[in-house]
Amino acid sequence: MNARTLFFIGVATVLGVGLVAGSGAAADVTPSEADIVVGDSSAANATTIQEGVNQAPSGGTVYVESGLYAGNVTVTDPVRIVGPNATIAGSGPTDGGAGVVAQAPTAIEGLAIGATQAAVVVDTSGTVRIDDLLAGDTRVAVEGTNATGPVVVENSELRATDDGIARTYPAGHLAVKNTTIDSEGRGIDVAMSSGRSAGAPSTATTAATVSIRNSTVVANGSAVGVRADSLNVETVRVYSPADGLTTIAGTASLTDLTVDTRGYGVAAWTANGASLTSSDVTAESVGVGLNGANASIEATAIDAGTDGVVAESTNASVKRVSVTAGRDGLALSNGVFSASRAGIRANRTAVNASRAALDASDLSLEAWRGVHAMGHVQVGIDHSDVTATRAALAVPASGSVSVSRSWLSTGSAPTVRSASGASIDIEASEFATTDRVVEASGRTTAINTTGSWWGQAGGPTAADVSGPVESAAPADTPIAPTAVADRALPVEPIDGTVPRDDDFDGVFEDLSADGTINFPDVNTYFQHTEDRVITAFVTYFDIDGDGAAGLQDVLALFETV
């Protein structure tokens, strides 16, 4: 067992990953190919890494043999340091100095660095590439004191007692690939700006751009997992006791992201928009916060302790999203929003819109209150179903709500609660309530109820309405309940087909979407039990009601055929 492995066996145990000694580009370099060899063999030209770096020609390669070496190696000319079995060790994370200080373009490959204040310090406008680094027992794994150039960290394992990667003056670009970060502070923090002001996007004089691919970030302290001015993320897992990912003043493109956090899952306080796609967000606070122009969430599952999505002062779209929220599903304010093919289950309000315009279609809402429109709001809902215990629609004074081709169910509560001056347009929809369809305060206008089913052929009667509602033409031929368009699953198709919930019970048993529950549905479920569309949206495929989705549900579906 070499020195690198001995020194870092504890790091690998904590991270739960295998050691990667010699797995990167360093494994392809031999001493004979290097300009300088550091070590105690007959082939060595130097005995310390600093001596080897000093002797190397500009742009040359220094090969470090297996062994334990002193740190505070300072690079002032471009060099490549290769050490697949070499370890740099300081005296400790509080006073151990740095492993390598890059003051010129530097490539560091295969080293293990520990017991230092910083494993690698970047102090250059040139490119610094770190490959196959194993860092542990260090305050900060990679620290930029004046890192104005590109920094690339790949195929590495970084463990830090403070931040994993921190850049003090981040004017350049940070790329992290195939890397695991386990830190007691922030996982990655390279943002110039801090937070936001009064709901408006923060601005930074110099933007820090971070790209992360195929990596895991674990922040164990009370700090954010990843914070940057701009983020480009794909296939990344983030775990944090604070916020998962925070972007400030730049852009955010987040794909195939898994977040588990006690704070915000994703806080995208960006000036230029954010996109979150094909992701899973679990947060004890808000699932996703959006603030800025042209934001979008698509094909994503959000499980939040408070609000699922908070969107402020933005143009935002939500499509094929599943939201489970302890408070509000969508909290929208001061913007123009669109929502389609979304399933929202909330303990308070499914959609809470304040001073906003919302265009929604193909929604499945289940909450104490379905849609709450506050202030000067224009809300349009089409081809949706709303199940609520308080009210399907709550419309304030001066609010305007239109509903078409939808199912509104409130049990024993009024379906619509409206204030003076509210405007309600209901067309080709169905109502399921033993109370009044409309409970009005002041003068409310219910416009165009043609084609809607109110529970009796003649349209609304005096028993349906509480308060002075202006008359609306009753339907000549009310539609039957089965005529309402079917509910569409708010996630990806299965084998190209979007499953349906034909009986409006919140479970999508008709996986083949042919209008019946049959053996093709059972076979489809069996073939796709491990697919993300089922594992990420369990509540829609929980046939037996046990809170899980799997083979027991296949059997339960089989028994219904």
Side-chain angles (χ1 to χ4, degrees):
M1 187 176 293
N2 59 52
R4 171 185 167 114
T5 303
L6 280 171
F7 191 81
F8 287 97
I9 191 71
V11 176
T13 301
V14 172
L15 293 180
V17 295
L19 291 169
V20 293
S23 64
D28 300 328
V29 178
T30 63
S32 62
E33 298 171 320
D35 296 288
I36 299 294
V37 177
V38 176
D40 56 9
S41 73
S42 59
N45 310 99
T47 58
T48 68
I49 299 176
Q50 184 66 70
E51 183 182 355
V53 168
N54 293 343
Q55 293 181 22
S58 180
T61 299
V62 175
Y63 184 92
V64 185
E65 295 178 337
S66 175
L68 195 62
Y69 296 87
N72 287 317
V73 178
T74 301
V75 177
T76 56
D77 287 309
V79 71
R80 179 186 183 192
I81 304 173
V82 179
N85 297 306
T87 297
I88 294 176
S91 58
T94 58
D95 56 2
V100 177
V101 180
Q103 296 180 347
T106 305
I108 301 170
E109 301 170 12
L111 289 176
I113 303 176
T116 57
Q117 289 177 287
V120 178
V121 173
V122 181
D123 186 12
T124 177
S125 60
T127 299
V128 174
R129 186 170 64 85
I130 301 167
D131 188 1
D132 192 17
L133 171 67
L134 186 56
D137 194 28
T138 183
R139 185 182 65 83
V140 178
V142 179
E143 183 173 24
T145 58
N146 192 18
T148 57
V151 177
V152 179
V153 181
E154 56 187 336
N155 307 313
S156 297
E157 299 171 13
L158 311 179
R159 178 171 170 79
T161 60
D162 195 352
D163 296 343
I165 300 177
R167 298 177 69 190
T168 309
Y169 301 104
H173 179 81
L174 170 66
V176 179
K177 309 173 186 176
N178 305 317
T179 291
T180 297
I181 299 173
D182 192 334
S183 65
E184 296 301 319
R186 293 174 286 266
I188 299 174
D189 184 11
V190 297
M192 286 288 292
S193 303
S194 58
R196 58 181 184 141
S197 175
S202 295
T203 57
T205 55
T206 306
T209 301
V210 176
S211 297
I212 311 174
R213 297 286 185 277
N214 302 314
S215 298
T216 297
V217 178
V218 180
N220 295 296
S222 58
V224 66
V226 177
R227 190 170 75 100
D229 294 318
S230 293
L231 267 175
N232 193 320
V233 171
E234 184 175 351
T235 315
V236 172
R237 296 179 296 170
V238 177
Y239 305 93
S240 170
D243 295 343
L245 292 92
T246 298
T247 63
I248 305 167
T251 61
S253 176
L254 314 174
T255 304
D256 192 17
L257 173 68
T258 301
V259 178
D260 192 344
T261 175
R262 295 178 188 170
Y264 275 67
V266 175
W269 311 129
T270 61
N272 301 312
S275 65
L276 176 64
T277 307
S278 301
S279 297
D280 297 293
V281 178
T282 302
E284 291 187 15
S285 182
V286 173
V288 179
L290 301 175
N291 178 238
N294 303 317
S296 65
I297 306 174
E298 184 170 355
T300 291
I302 300 171
D303 190 343
T306 58
D307 297 335
V309 177
V310 174
E312 306 171 359
S313 303
T314 183
N315 301 328
S317 66
V318 176
K319 183 178 181 181
R320 293 190 296 149
V321 170
S322 171
V323 177
T324 301
R327 194 165 58 189
D328 294 345
L330 304 181
L332 314 174
S333 63
N334 300 308
V336 178
F337 306 93
S338 66
S340 62
R341 294 182 61 194
I344 302 172
R345 293 184 177 182
N347 286 344
R348 191 169 71 177
T349 303
V351 179
N352 204 343
S354 174
R355 299 177 301 280
L358 171 65
D359 184 9
S361 63
D362 295 293
L363 302 186
S364 175
L365 309 181
E366 184 177 335
W368 179 73
R369 183 168 48 200
V371 177
H372 187 200
M374 300 183 294
H376 297 281
V377 178
Q378 291 184 335
V379 176
I381 300 173
D382 178 63
H383 197 256
S384 301
D385 68 274
V386 182
T387 300
T389 56
R390 167 67 175 173
L393 303 174
V395 188
S398 303
S400 175
V401 174
S402 63
V403 181
S404 60
R405 300 188 302 160
S406 296
W407 166 274
L408 307 176
S409 175
T410 50
S412 60
T415 306
V416 179
R417 296 178 184 267
S418 62
S420 178
S423 176
I424 305 170
D425 185 327
I426 300 172
E427 181 178 2
S429 296
E430 300 175 31
F431 301 85
T433 177
T434 59
D435 202 303
R436 299 168 299 280
V437 170
V438 178
E439 183 178 78
S441 173
R443 302 302 303 175
T444 296
T445 302
I447 309 170
N448 189 13
T449 59
T450 302
S452 294
W453 174 259
W454 295 71
Q456 61 282 321
T461 66
D464 293 315
V465 177
S466 172
V469 179
E470 296 181 9
S471 63
D476 294 330
T477 307
I479 60 174
T482 55
V484 173
D486 59 88
R487 281 166 52 168
L489 183 64
V491 290
E492 302 95 327
I494 299 177
D495 278 347
T497 300
V498 178
R500 299 194 320 191
D501 175 19
D502 296 314
D503 58 1
F504 297 95
D505 66 350
V507 180
F508 290 76
E509 305 97 331
D510 188 6
L511 281 77
S512 59
D514 60 0
T516 60
I517 309 301
N518 49 32
F519 287 112
D521 298 311
V522 177
N523 183 60
T524 299
Y525 201 141
F526 177 75
Q527 295 293 332
H528 296 274
T529 52
E530 300 299 323
D531 286 10
R532 180 186 178 279
V533 65
I534 290 179
T535 59
F537 300 89
V538 170
T539 55
Y540 294 109
F541 296 98
D542 185 10
I543 308 296
D544 62 3
D546 66 351
L551 293 178
Q552 291 298 321
D553 298 284
V554 175
L555 178 61
L557 185 60
F558 173 79
E559 292 174 347
T560 66
V561 175

